[in-house]
Amino acid sequence: MKSPAEQLEILTRGTAKVLSDSELLKKLEKGEPLRAKLGVDPTSPDLHLGHSVVLEKLRQFQELGHQAVLIIGDFTAQIGDPTGRSRTRPPLSREDILANAETYQEQAFRILDRDKTEIVYNGTWFNKMTFSQVIQLNARVTMQQMLQREDFKNRIANDQEVRLHEIQYPIVQGWDSVEVRADVELGGTDQLFNILVGRDLQKTMGMEPQVVMCLPILEGLDGVQKMSKSLNNYVGITEPAGEMFGKIMSISDELMVRYSLLLIGDEIDPAAHPLEEKKALAAKIVTRYHSAEAAEQALANWNNRGKLDEVELPGFVPPADRKDLIGIVQAAFDSLGEPKSGSDVRRLIQQGSIQLDGEKLPDPKSEPELSLGQVLKLNKKRSVRIAN
RNA sequence: GGGUAGAUUCCGGAGCGGUCAAACGGGGCAGACUGUAAAUCUGCUGGCUAUGCCUUCGAAGGUUCGAAUCCUUCUCUGCCCA
């Protein structure tokens, strides 16, 4: 077992904010496994690299012999975390939440050690609360405290609504910390406020307050907004190796530095060629979620993209009933599970996106001769090979 | 409860009787350029059996040759007062 000082060094590495180092050290010095809490709301079934930052940190706790406590916010998800929101979240149905919770765990255990993780659903205690207990819980917190939150402040300043259930959210999340007797709570920097409420509630219950540990928020592929599914700037951890590789390759050089640091813990060599560094980064990430072989294959495919013959492409059988280009391309998109409207396809054709073996096909009404093995490019990401 | 402002296409936001599938910006997509990156430039961005046709401007009615624009009712939201 590593010394408390060594552990502190490892655990605080890469964090955005720890409140406070000295408190954490004191807890570590007790020599007992700490209970490290991470609360997640199963609002979206798929995890992406943005979520992985905090999960990686939790795994470090596990590796050092501490207890990971994963709280599935089946109850909180019904409220909807207002964090960073400029508007109220739509509520989720009970079924969706439970289904999401399943897939969430499945995916989280690609990172976490299942055997060293305690999983609890916060509905376990919240669904049992009586209304008078809810009122009592609310009595532990002041309105002024809640209104200090930046999101709420901004929304009020901008004349946007803040609903009362939303200001309950931090209180409810904070109460989780009391229920699981958390020693440390992990979260993104945007969770600072919520985690602090947990500290306060623990204090009012006579408990030793949890240490706050915030991890940086990972920017999405656009490099500006945080990675999120709704902004479609994410890399899902279950995505196929090729997709994952391609998405990483599309980020800017500046963003690459940050991804490397937060996702892999490596520095980018500024002297090396950025293209090579980016390929290496993409390969490392693919290796983590798939395998070294998959990463090699993805890299090889990437390098061969110019040489179409060597790349594996999905086969596509041209439809018998549509000979015109619009019909063919539409069928090709359908075969990939990405249906497009005729107007969309028409636009792609007219703009030169549709290419047969590298030749643009600009006429929507033409009836091109397709022969076996030719490559039909649909858009930047999708191409198919003619089959029968 | 009273007063008042508002609800427009993915988002923000013009339009206030015909020239509106609806300005402009953002986002997205495509092309050019590149390191098949970013930045930049250009174009596109409701649907269709497509030089025309169909369905859209919170919902339902109504006025009119003609409505996103006017009237009525309804639903939802902000702000002010209580």
Side-chain angles (χ1 to χ4, degrees), chain A residues 314-385:
Chain A
F316 164 64
V317 183
D321 52 333
R322 294 288 300 269
K323 292 282 178 235
D324 62 300
L325 191 52
I326 292 184
I328 292 168
V329 173
Q330 237 181 328
F333 274 112
D334 284 349
S335 76
L336 294 172
E338 288 180 29
K340 291 251 189 287
S341 75
S343 299
D344 272 337
V345 168
R346 179 182 296 265
R347 275 192 284 277
L348 286 172
I349 292 168
Q350 286 169 341
Q351 293 182 133
S353 175
I354 307 302
Q355 297 169 15
L356 186 64
D357 276 351
E359 291 288 317
K360 287 183 189 174
L361 299 176
D363 180 4
K365 280 188 174 162
S366 64
E367 300 189 358
E369 294 284 325
L370 301 175
S371 41
L372 209 61
Q374 283 186 306
V375 173
L376 185 66
K377 175 180 166 263
L378 302 176
N379 60 26
K380 275 212 172 104
K381 285 177 188 153
R382 300 295 191 181
S383 294
V384 293
R385 190 182 294 282

Side-chain angles (χ1 to χ4, degrees), chain A residues 241-246 249 275-284 286-287 291-307 311:
Chain A
E243 293 274 322
M244 203 178 256
F245 197 96
M249 290 305 289
L275 181 58
E276 293 310 315
E277 287 291 286
K278 201 182 288 178
K279 284 180 186 171
L281 172 65
K284 282 180 203 167
V286 172
T287 301
S291 63
E293 297 79 63
E296 227 168 277
Q297 183 62 47
L299 176 62
N301 280 347
W302 178 267
N303 288 333
N304 281 332
R305 281 180 89 175
K307 302 168 225 157
V311 185

